[in-house]
Amino acid sequence: MHILLVTSAYKSKFNPVNALFFRDQAKALRKGGNQVGLICALPISLKTVMKEKEIKFSKEHYNDEGVDTLVKPFLAIPKTPNRTKNKRFSISKQLFKEYIDKFGLPDIIHVHTFLAGELAMWVKQQYAIPYIVTEHSTNFARANLSQSQLKFSKQVFENSKTNIAVSKEFCSLLEQQTHCKFQYVPNVVDTSFFKPSRKVKNTEQFIFLNVAHLDAKKNQAGLVTSFANKFAGNNKYKLIVAGDGPEKENLQAQIDKLKLSDQVVLFGRASREEVLALMQKSNCFVLPSHYETFGVVLIEAMACGLPVLSTKSGGPESIITSNEYGFLCEENELSDMLEQMVVKDFDSVEIRKYVQNSFSENAVRQKLELIYRE
């Protein structure tokens, strides 16, 4: 089967660790013997351009472990959503025509987030190729979409053969907001990459880990406060926060004010290899977000055998289905649950086995291929 993924975001020279779960799904489908391509017209903010000191928006075209990939960044000007939408569609059409010239027409298009859906509707009309959509955006839960965006999303979903959401809670939310039917298929984790270390962990220190964009919705500030409430001044306990983003300076000021600089470390942006190394040396992964449509970083940590603690933020409820893998809690319970994670014994082998059975490349690919065939 020939599958073309059309995504709203992707890794690029502007951000090499962006939206890696799209890549993992493409690679999983390719390993199943399918022909797989991926195209992305990628909006880049002015803030990112200035931060990365990169002004060339050149197309990135490469074969990624068998996945033919075309990514074209473009400048997204603030407060011009219609310009971004039109630009995305125009560039997507160019990429699609270039793709089919080289690799032929796909049997099906798999859209990742409705923002990329205009191309799929156009292809359906012009070439009679069906499409399906997997929705990921937290903007639905955060009520951040304009009326025109909501109207457009509904148009994309109504014209799709099948609509997927990456958690059961998110399915319900999307059905309420769009009156379209959704089914649950989780994101995939590369369990051949994310795996436990053979080294024995340091038992003298207990390390909590968070990996996420440093953004208010990810609630790292709440995590730092919760950690301070229970462990401030006790150097046996450490918190590592890996990521970059607009909250970095605020978080560092908070750490300094709470006199936690010996215990709480802002690691900065981490490569995938660095994330793996951090997970392998940590004792517990914590996701304190206000909203998560899925929480792929949870299953990456669990694939490394880590127990996990997450706020009840939407997606994690479909992942942490047993207290044998970790805990779910309300945001105001985070301090007490951090303490509980220290005292409970978890079986890392069972945690990894659960991930392999539910979220591995093979498990998710089988679910997607059944949808494609239907």
Side-chain angles (χ1 to χ4, degrees), residues 208-211 218-229 231 239-241 251 254 258 260 264 285-289 309 331 334-335 338:
F208 295 98
L209 176 65
N210 170 264
V211 180
K218 296 295 185 179
N219 192 32
Q220 283 98 348
L223 174 57
V224 170
T225 299
S226 297
F227 176 86
N229 288 342
F231 306 114
L239 169 63
I240 300 174
V241 177
L251 286 168
Q254 179 188 14
L258 293 170
L260 289 171
V264 180
F285 189 91
V286 189
L287 193 67
S289 305
L309 169 63
E331 289 183 25
L334 199 52
S335 288
L338 287 171

PDB file of all heavy atoms in Angstrom, residues 208-211 218-229 231 239-241 251 254 258 260 264 285-289 309 331 334-335 338:
ATOM      1  N   PHE A 208      13.715  12.785  39.429  1.00  0.00           N
ATOM      2  CA  PHE A 208      12.473  13.019  38.696  1.00  0.00           C
ATOM      3  C   PHE A 208      12.843  13.702  37.376  1.00  0.00           C
ATOM      4  O   PHE A 208      13.701  14.589  37.357  1.00  0.00           O
ATOM      5  CB  PHE A 208      11.527  13.930  39.471  1.00  0.00           C
ATOM      6  CG  PHE A 208      11.018  13.367  40.753  1.00  0.00           C
ATOM      7  CD1 PHE A 208      11.609  13.718  41.966  1.00  0.00           C
ATOM      8  CD2 PHE A 208       9.936  12.498  40.777  1.00  0.00           C
ATOM      9  CE1 PHE A 208      11.139  13.213  43.163  1.00  0.00           C
ATOM     10  CE2 PHE A 208       9.452  11.988  41.974  1.00  0.00           C
ATOM     11  CZ  PHE A 208      10.056  12.339  43.179  1.00  0.00           C
ATOM     12  N   LEU A 209      12.168  13.338  36.297  1.00  0.00           N
ATOM     13  CA  LEU A 209      12.471  13.903  34.983  1.00  0.00           C
ATOM     14  C   LEU A 209      11.206  14.429  34.314  1.00  0.00           C
ATOM     15  O   LEU A 209      10.150  13.796  34.369  1.00  0.00           O
ATOM     16  CB  LEU A 209      13.106  12.834  34.079  1.00  0.00           C
ATOM     17  CG  LEU A 209      13.398  13.231  32.622  1.00  0.00           C
ATOM     18  CD1 LEU A 209      14.468  14.322  32.542  1.00  0.00           C
ATOM     19  CD2 LEU A 209      13.823  12.008  31.808  1.00  0.00           C
ATOM     20  N   ASN A 210      11.335  15.602  33.689  1.00  0.00           N
ATOM     21  CA  ASN A 210      10.291  16.134  32.816  1.00  0.00           C
ATOM     22  C   ASN A 210      10.951  16.551  31.517  1.00  0.00           C
ATOM     23  O   ASN A 210      11.996  17.202  31.529  1.00  0.00           O
ATOM     24  CB  ASN A 210       9.587  17.335  33.462  1.00  0.00           C
ATOM     25  CG  ASN A 210       8.672  18.074  32.492  1.00  0.00           C
ATOM     26  OD1 ASN A 210       9.062  19.068  31.896  1.00  0.00           O
ATOM     27  ND2 ASN A 210       7.460  17.578  32.323  1.00  0.00           N
ATOM     28  N   VAL A 211      10.361  16.148  30.389  1.00  0.00           N
ATOM     29  CA  VAL A 211      10.849  16.565  29.065  1.00  0.00           C
ATOM     30  C   VAL A 211       9.670  17.159  28.312  1.00  0.00           C
ATOM     31  O   VAL A 211       8.681  16.465  28.053  1.00  0.00           O
ATOM     32  CB  VAL A 211      11.430  15.376  28.265  1.00  0.00           C
ATOM     33  CG1 VAL A 211      11.927  15.850  26.895  1.00  0.00           C
ATOM     34  CG2 VAL A 211      12.557  14.696  29.026  1.00  0.00           C
ATOM     35  N   LYS A 218       2.425  23.536  29.785  1.00  0.00           N
ATOM     36  CA  LYS A 218       3.109  22.322  30.250  1.00  0.00           C
ATOM     37  C   LYS A 218       3.311  22.327  31.766  1.00  0.00           C
ATOM     38  O   LYS A 218       3.700  21.314  32.353  1.00  0.00           O
ATOM     39  CB  LYS A 218       4.456  22.169  29.546  1.00  0.00           C
ATOM     40  CG  LYS A 218       4.359  21.962  28.037  1.00  0.00           C
ATOM     41  CD  LYS A 218       3.677  20.659  27.673  1.00  0.00           C
ATOM     42  CE  LYS A 218       3.685  20.410  26.173  1.00  0.00           C
ATOM     43  NZ  LYS A 218       3.040  19.142  25.795  1.00  0.00           N
ATOM     44  N   ASN A 219       3.098  23.494  32.405  1.00  0.00           N
ATOM     45  CA  ASN A 219       3.017  23.603  33.866  1.00  0.00           C
ATOM     46  C   ASN A 219       4.286  23.157  34.595  1.00  0.00           C
ATOM     47  O   ASN A 219       4.217  22.583  35.682  1.00  0.00           O
ATOM     48  CB  ASN A 219       1.804  22.799  34.378  1.00  0.00           C
ATOM     49  CG  ASN A 219       1.493  23.093  35.838  1.00  0.00           C
ATOM     50  OD1 ASN A 219       1.713  24.204  36.321  1.00  0.00           O
ATOM     51  ND2 ASN A 219       0.975  22.105  36.556  1.00  0.00           N
ATOM     52  N   GLN A 220       5.454  23.437  34.028  1.00  0.00           N
ATOM     53  CA  GLN A 220       6.681  23.117  34.762  1.00  0.00           C
ATOM     54  C   GLN A 220       6.788  23.940  36.052  1.00  0.00           C
ATOM     55  O   GLN A 220       7.371  23.475  37.039  1.00  0.00           O
ATOM     56  CB  GLN A 220       7.918  23.365  33.893  1.00  0.00           C
ATOM     57  CG  GLN A 220       8.178  22.288  32.852  1.00  0.00           C
ATOM     58  CD  GLN A 220       7.669  22.663  31.488  1.00  0.00           C
ATOM     59  OE1 GLN A 220       6.921  23.639  31.334  1.00  0.00           O
ATOM     60  NE2 GLN A 220       8.050  21.913  30.464  1.00  0.00           N
ATOM     61  N   ALA A 221       6.213  25.152  36.057  1.00  0.00           N
ATOM     62  CA  ALA A 221       6.243  25.976  37.270  1.00  0.00           C
ATOM     63  C   ALA A 221       5.535  25.268  38.420  1.00  0.00           C
ATOM     64  O   ALA A 221       6.001  25.271  39.566  1.00  0.00           O
ATOM     65  CB  ALA A 221       5.602  27.337  36.998  1.00  0.00           C
ATOM     66  N   GLY A 222       4.400  24.639  38.113  1.00  0.00           N
ATOM     67  CA  GLY A 222       3.675  23.882  39.133  1.00  0.00           C
ATOM     68  C   GLY A 222       4.473  22.687  39.622  1.00  0.00           C
ATOM     69  O   GLY A 222       4.433  22.342  40.813  1.00  0.00           O
ATOM     70  N   LEU A 223       5.217  22.063  38.703  1.00  0.00           N
ATOM     71  CA  LEU A 223       6.050  20.918  39.082  1.00  0.00           C
ATOM     72  C   LEU A 223       7.181  21.351  40.019  1.00  0.00           C
ATOM     73  O   LEU A 223       7.452  20.674  41.020  1.00  0.00           O
ATOM     74  CB  LEU A 223       6.622  20.255  37.824  1.00  0.00           C
ATOM     75  CG  LEU A 223       7.634  19.129  38.045  1.00  0.00           C
ATOM     76  CD1 LEU A 223       7.040  18.010  38.898  1.00  0.00           C
ATOM     77  CD2 LEU A 223       8.124  18.580  36.705  1.00  0.00           C
ATOM     78  N   VAL A 224       7.826  22.463  39.703  1.00  0.00           N
ATOM     79  CA  VAL A 224       8.921  22.957  40.548  1.00  0.00           C
ATOM     80  C   VAL A 224       8.402  23.276  41.956  1.00  0.00           C
ATOM     81  O   VAL A 224       9.026  22.909  42.967  1.00  0.00           O
ATOM     82  CB  VAL A 224       9.595  24.198  39.909  1.00  0.00           C
ATOM     83  CG1 VAL A 224      10.569  24.848  40.892  1.00  0.00           C
ATOM     84  CG2 VAL A 224      10.318  23.805  38.631  1.00  0.00           C
ATOM     85  N   THR A 225       7.250  23.931  42.034  1.00  0.00           N
ATOM     86  CA  THR A 225       6.656  24.248  43.340  1.00  0.00           C
ATOM     87  C   THR A 225       6.319  22.976  44.110  1.00  0.00           C
ATOM     88  O   THR A 225       6.599  22.866  45.314  1.00  0.00           O
ATOM     89  CB  THR A 225       5.385  25.102  43.155  1.00  0.00           C
ATOM     90  OG1 THR A 225       5.727  26.331  42.513  1.00  0.00           O
ATOM     91  CG2 THR A 225       4.717  25.397  44.493  1.00  0.00           C
ATOM     92  N   SER A 226       5.723  22.002  43.430  1.00  0.00           N
ATOM     93  CA  SER A 226       5.350  20.733  44.078  1.00  0.00           C
ATOM     94  C   SER A 226       6.578  19.989  44.572  1.00  0.00           C
ATOM     95  O   SER A 226       6.580  19.413  45.672  1.00  0.00           O
ATOM     96  CB  SER A 226       4.570  19.857  43.085  1.00  0.00           C
ATOM     97  OG  SER A 226       3.366  20.483  42.699  1.00  0.00           O
ATOM     98  N   PHE A 227       7.636  20.000  43.773  1.00  0.00           N
ATOM     99  CA  PHE A 227       8.892  19.364  44.173  1.00  0.00           C
ATOM    100  C   PHE A 227       9.460  20.059  45.416  1.00  0.00           C
ATOM    101  O   PHE A 227       9.884  19.408  46.372  1.00  0.00           O
ATOM    102  CB  PHE A 227       9.892  19.428  43.017  1.00  0.00           C
ATOM    103  CG  PHE A 227      11.249  18.883  43.336  1.00  0.00           C
ATOM    104  CD1 PHE A 227      11.511  17.526  43.209  1.00  0.00           C
ATOM    105  CD2 PHE A 227      12.272  19.714  43.769  1.00  0.00           C
ATOM    106  CE1 PHE A 227      12.771  17.000  43.523  1.00  0.00           C
ATOM    107  CE2 PHE A 227      13.525  19.206  44.080  1.00  0.00           C
ATOM    108  CZ  PHE A 227      13.780  17.844  43.948  1.00  0.00           C
ATOM    109  N   ALA A 228       9.440  21.398  45.405  1.00  0.00           N
ATOM    110  CA  ALA A 228       9.967  22.167  46.537  1.00  0.00           C
ATOM    111  C   ALA A 228       9.204  21.861  47.817  1.00  0.00           C
ATOM    112  O   ALA A 228       9.789  21.782  48.911  1.00  0.00           O
ATOM    113  CB  ALA A 228       9.906  23.661  46.226  1.00  0.00           C
ATOM    114  N   ASN A 229       7.883  21.683  47.704  1.00  0.00           N
ATOM    115  CA  ASN A 229       7.050  21.435  48.885  1.00  0.00           C
ATOM    116  C   ASN A 229       7.498  20.195  49.665  1.00  0.00           C
ATOM    117  O   ASN A 229       7.356  20.135  50.894  1.00  0.00           O
ATOM    118  CB  ASN A 229       5.586  21.257  48.477  1.00  0.00           C
ATOM    119  CG  ASN A 229       4.941  22.558  48.039  1.00  0.00           C
ATOM    120  OD1 ASN A 229       5.447  23.637  48.344  1.00  0.00           O
ATOM    121  ND2 ASN A 229       3.830  22.464  47.321  1.00  0.00           N
ATOM    122  N   PHE A 231      10.657  18.247  48.869  1.00  0.00           N
ATOM    123  CA  PHE A 231      12.057  17.821  48.821  1.00  0.00           C
ATOM    124  C   PHE A 231      13.086  18.948  48.928  1.00  0.00           C
ATOM    125  O   PHE A 231      14.282  18.687  48.854  1.00  0.00           O
ATOM    126  CB  PHE A 231      12.312  17.039  47.525  1.00  0.00           C
ATOM    127  CG  PHE A 231      11.375  15.891  47.308  1.00  0.00           C
ATOM    128  CD1 PHE A 231      10.467  15.901  46.255  1.00  0.00           C
ATOM    129  CD2 PHE A 231      11.376  14.805  48.176  1.00  0.00           C
ATOM    130  CE1 PHE A 231       9.603  14.834  46.052  1.00  0.00           C
ATOM    131  CE2 PHE A 231      10.513  13.744  47.989  1.00  0.00           C
ATOM    132  CZ  PHE A 231       9.616  13.753  46.923  1.00  0.00           C
ATOM    133  N   LEU A 239      15.421  17.094  40.427  1.00  0.00           N
ATOM    134  CA  LEU A 239      14.464  17.255  39.318  1.00  0.00           C
ATOM    135  C   LEU A 239      15.213  17.805  38.111  1.00  0.00           C
ATOM    136  O   LEU A 239      15.871  18.841  38.210  1.00  0.00           O
ATOM    137  CB  LEU A 239      13.332  18.207  39.726  1.00  0.00           C
ATOM    138  CG  LEU A 239      12.387  18.684  38.604  1.00  0.00           C
ATOM    139  CD1 LEU A 239      11.633  17.515  37.990  1.00  0.00           C
ATOM    140  CD2 LEU A 239      11.409  19.735  39.141  1.00  0.00           C
ATOM    141  N   ILE A 240      15.104  17.108  36.996  1.00  0.00           N
ATOM    142  CA  ILE A 240      15.685  17.574  35.734  1.00  0.00           C
ATOM    143  C   ILE A 240      14.549  17.938  34.791  1.00  0.00           C
ATOM    144  O   ILE A 240      13.643  17.124  34.557  1.00  0.00           O
ATOM    145  CB  ILE A 240      16.578  16.500  35.085  1.00  0.00           C
ATOM    146  CG1 ILE A 240      17.738  16.123  36.019  1.00  0.00           C
ATOM    147  CG2 ILE A 240      17.133  16.996  33.743  1.00  0.00           C
ATOM    148  CD1 ILE A 240      18.591  14.967  35.506  1.00  0.00           C
ATOM    149  N   VAL A 241      14.575  19.149  34.255  1.00  0.00           N
ATOM    150  CA  VAL A 241      13.582  19.609  33.281  1.00  0.00           C
ATOM    151  C   VAL A 241      14.318  19.858  31.967  1.00  0.00           C
ATOM    152  O   VAL A 241      15.164  20.752  31.878  1.00  0.00           O
ATOM    153  CB  VAL A 241      12.875  20.897  33.754  1.00  0.00           C
ATOM    154  CG1 VAL A 241      11.897  21.383  32.695  1.00  0.00           C
ATOM    155  CG2 VAL A 241      12.156  20.655  35.080  1.00  0.00           C
ATOM    156  N   LEU A 251      11.193  30.177  34.812  1.00  0.00           N
ATOM    157  CA  LEU A 251      11.472  28.971  35.598  1.00  0.00           C
ATOM    158  C   LEU A 251      12.794  29.096  36.347  1.00  0.00           C
ATOM    159  O   LEU A 251      12.898  28.707  37.518  1.00  0.00           O
ATOM    160  CB  LEU A 251      11.495  27.739  34.682  1.00  0.00           C
ATOM    161  CG  LEU A 251      10.133  27.252  34.192  1.00  0.00           C
ATOM    162  CD1 LEU A 251      10.299  26.225  33.074  1.00  0.00           C
ATOM    163  CD2 LEU A 251       9.330  26.634  35.349  1.00  0.00           C
ATOM    164  N   GLN A 254      12.299  31.271  39.291  1.00  0.00           N
ATOM    165  CA  GLN A 254      11.563  30.543  40.328  1.00  0.00           C
ATOM    166  C   GLN A 254      12.504  29.599  41.095  1.00  0.00           C
ATOM    167  O   GLN A 254      12.464  29.536  42.333  1.00  0.00           O
ATOM    168  CB  GLN A 254      10.423  29.745  39.685  1.00  0.00           C
ATOM    169  CG  GLN A 254       9.602  28.934  40.679  1.00  0.00           C
ATOM    170  CD  GLN A 254       8.601  28.016  39.989  1.00  0.00           C
ATOM    171  OE1 GLN A 254       8.688  27.785  38.788  1.00  0.00           O
ATOM    172  NE2 GLN A 254       7.667  27.480  40.752  1.00  0.00           N
ATOM    173  N   LEU A 258      13.476  29.920  45.107  1.00  0.00           N
ATOM    174  CA  LEU A 258      13.207  28.826  46.045  1.00  0.00           C
ATOM    175  C   LEU A 258      14.487  28.166  46.562  1.00  0.00           C
ATOM    176  O   LEU A 258      14.421  27.189  47.311  1.00  0.00           O
ATOM    177  CB  LEU A 258      12.319  27.774  45.369  1.00  0.00           C
ATOM    178  CG  LEU A 258      10.881  28.206  45.036  1.00  0.00           C
ATOM    179  CD1 LEU A 258      10.192  27.178  44.154  1.00  0.00           C
ATOM    180  CD2 LEU A 258      10.081  28.427  46.321  1.00  0.00           C
ATOM    181  N   LEU A 260      16.701  26.349  44.944  1.00  0.00           N
ATOM    182  CA  LEU A 260      16.703  24.955  44.489  1.00  0.00           C
ATOM    183  C   LEU A 260      17.767  24.673  43.431  1.00  0.00           C
ATOM    184  O   LEU A 260      17.733  23.611  42.795  1.00  0.00           O
ATOM    185  CB  LEU A 260      15.323  24.598  43.906  1.00  0.00           C
ATOM    186  CG  LEU A 260      14.151  24.468  44.872  1.00  0.00           C
ATOM    187  CD1 LEU A 260      12.846  24.325  44.094  1.00  0.00           C
ATOM    188  CD2 LEU A 260      14.350  23.275  45.804  1.00  0.00           C
ATOM    189  N   VAL A 264      17.325  21.356  41.267  1.00  0.00           N
ATOM    190  CA  VAL A 264      16.510  21.441  40.042  1.00  0.00           C
ATOM    191  C   VAL A 264      17.380  21.983  38.911  1.00  0.00           C
ATOM    192  O   VAL A 264      17.958  23.056  39.021  1.00  0.00           O
ATOM    193  CB  VAL A 264      15.273  22.334  40.244  1.00  0.00           C
ATOM    194  CG1 VAL A 264      14.450  22.389  38.951  1.00  0.00           C
ATOM    195  CG2 VAL A 264      14.415  21.808  41.394  1.00  0.00           C
ATOM    196  N   PHE A 285       9.317   9.569  35.699  1.00  0.00           N
ATOM    197  CA  PHE A 285       9.012  10.636  34.739  1.00  0.00           C
ATOM    198  C   PHE A 285       7.719  11.321  35.181  1.00  0.00           C
ATOM    199  O   PHE A 285       6.744  10.657  35.550  1.00  0.00           O
ATOM    200  CB  PHE A 285       8.828  10.078  33.327  1.00  0.00           C
ATOM    201  CG  PHE A 285       8.729  11.167  32.292  1.00  0.00           C
ATOM    202  CD1 PHE A 285       9.857  11.638  31.644  1.00  0.00           C
ATOM    203  CD2 PHE A 285       7.503  11.759  31.995  1.00  0.00           C
ATOM    204  CE1 PHE A 285       9.782  12.670  30.729  1.00  0.00           C
ATOM    205  CE2 PHE A 285       7.409  12.794  31.084  1.00  0.00           C
ATOM    206  CZ  PHE A 285       8.564  13.251  30.448  1.00  0.00           C
ATOM    207  N   VAL A 286       7.714  12.670  35.106  1.00  0.00           N
ATOM    208  CA  VAL A 286       6.549  13.442  35.549  1.00  0.00           C
ATOM    209  C   VAL A 286       6.052  14.342  34.422  1.00  0.00           C
ATOM    210  O   VAL A 286       6.837  15.055  33.800  1.00  0.00           O
ATOM    211  CB  VAL A 286       6.889  14.326  36.775  1.00  0.00           C
ATOM    212  CG1 VAL A 286       5.606  14.931  37.345  1.00  0.00           C
ATOM    213  CG2 VAL A 286       7.623  13.537  37.836  1.00  0.00           C
ATOM    214  N   LEU A 287       4.743  14.300  34.157  1.00  0.00           N
ATOM    215  CA  LEU A 287       4.111  15.161  33.156  1.00  0.00           C
ATOM    216  C   LEU A 287       3.013  15.974  33.854  1.00  0.00           C
ATOM    217  O   LEU A 287       1.914  15.476  34.088  1.00  0.00           O
ATOM    218  CB  LEU A 287       3.516  14.308  32.028  1.00  0.00           C
ATOM    219  CG  LEU A 287       3.085  15.066  30.767  1.00  0.00           C
ATOM    220  CD1 LEU A 287       4.290  15.656  30.043  1.00  0.00           C
ATOM    221  CD2 LEU A 287       2.323  14.141  29.822  1.00  0.00           C
ATOM    222  N   PRO A 288       3.289  17.252  34.187  1.00  0.00           N
ATOM    223  CA  PRO A 288       2.342  18.036  34.986  1.00  0.00           C
ATOM    224  C   PRO A 288       1.419  18.939  34.161  1.00  0.00           C
ATOM    225  O   PRO A 288       0.845  19.884  34.696  1.00  0.00           O
ATOM    226  CB  PRO A 288       3.287  18.894  35.837  1.00  0.00           C
ATOM    227  CG  PRO A 288       4.445  19.166  34.913  1.00  0.00           C
ATOM    228  CD  PRO A 288       4.587  17.951  34.016  1.00  0.00           C
ATOM    229  N   SER A 289       1.255  18.650  32.871  1.00  0.00           N
ATOM    230  CA  SER A 289       0.580  19.559  31.940  1.00  0.00           C
ATOM    231  C   SER A 289      -0.859  19.886  32.336  1.00  0.00           C
ATOM    232  O   SER A 289      -1.558  19.084  32.961  1.00  0.00           O
ATOM    233  CB  SER A 289       0.562  18.944  30.536  1.00  0.00           C
ATOM    234  OG  SER A 289       1.859  18.620  30.113  1.00  0.00           O
ATOM    235  N   LEU A 309       4.257   9.645  36.427  1.00  0.00           N
ATOM    236  CA  LEU A 309       3.233  10.391  37.167  1.00  0.00           C
ATOM    237  C   LEU A 309       2.741  11.503  36.261  1.00  0.00           C
ATOM    238  O   LEU A 309       3.540  12.243  35.688  1.00  0.00           O
ATOM    239  CB  LEU A 309       3.837  10.988  38.443  1.00  0.00           C
ATOM    240  CG  LEU A 309       2.985  12.011  39.209  1.00  0.00           C
ATOM    241  CD1 LEU A 309       1.694  11.391  39.717  1.00  0.00           C
ATOM    242  CD2 LEU A 309       3.786  12.607  40.375  1.00  0.00           C
ATOM    243  N   GLU A 331      -3.999  18.402  39.663  1.00  0.00           N
ATOM    244  CA  GLU A 331      -2.837  19.280  39.789  1.00  0.00           C
ATOM    245  C   GLU A 331      -2.513  19.611  41.245  1.00  0.00           C
ATOM    246  O   GLU A 331      -1.345  19.700  41.625  1.00  0.00           O
ATOM    247  CB  GLU A 331      -3.054  20.566  38.978  1.00  0.00           C
ATOM    248  CG  GLU A 331      -2.988  20.330  37.478  1.00  0.00           C
ATOM    249  CD  GLU A 331      -3.129  21.607  36.662  1.00  0.00           C
ATOM    250  OE1 GLU A 331      -2.804  22.692  37.197  1.00  0.00           O
ATOM    251  OE2 GLU A 331      -3.565  21.527  35.509  1.00  0.00           O
ATOM    252  N   LEU A 334      -0.218  17.037  43.190  1.00  0.00           N
ATOM    253  CA  LEU A 334       1.077  16.694  42.604  1.00  0.00           C
ATOM    254  C   LEU A 334       2.169  16.491  43.664  1.00  0.00           C
ATOM    255  O   LEU A 334       2.954  15.534  43.585  1.00  0.00           O
ATOM    256  CB  LEU A 334       1.497  17.771  41.601  1.00  0.00           C
ATOM    257  CG  LEU A 334       2.560  17.407  40.561  1.00  0.00           C
ATOM    258  CD1 LEU A 334       2.211  16.141  39.798  1.00  0.00           C
ATOM    259  CD2 LEU A 334       2.761  18.570  39.598  1.00  0.00           C
ATOM    260  N   SER A 335       2.221  17.352  44.665  1.00  0.00           N
ATOM    261  CA  SER A 335       3.250  17.219  45.716  1.00  0.00           C
ATOM    262  C   SER A 335       3.168  15.871  46.414  1.00  0.00           C
ATOM    263  O   SER A 335       4.167  15.159  46.562  1.00  0.00           O
ATOM    264  CB  SER A 335       3.105  18.342  46.756  1.00  0.00           C
ATOM    265  OG  SER A 335       3.506  19.574  46.231  1.00  0.00           O
ATOM    266  N   LEU A 338       4.206  12.962  44.139  1.00  0.00           N
ATOM    267  CA  LEU A 338       5.661  12.847  43.957  1.00  0.00           C
ATOM    268  C   LEU A 338       6.246  12.001  45.094  1.00  0.00           C
ATOM    269  O   LEU A 338       7.105  11.143  44.874  1.00  0.00           O
ATOM    270  CB  LEU A 338       6.314  14.230  43.950  1.00  0.00           C
ATOM    271  CG  LEU A 338       6.108  15.094  42.704  1.00  0.00           C
ATOM    272  CD1 LEU A 338       6.627  16.514  42.956  1.00  0.00           C
ATOM    273  CD2 LEU A 338       6.794  14.509  41.478  1.00  0.00           C
TER     274      LEU A 338
END
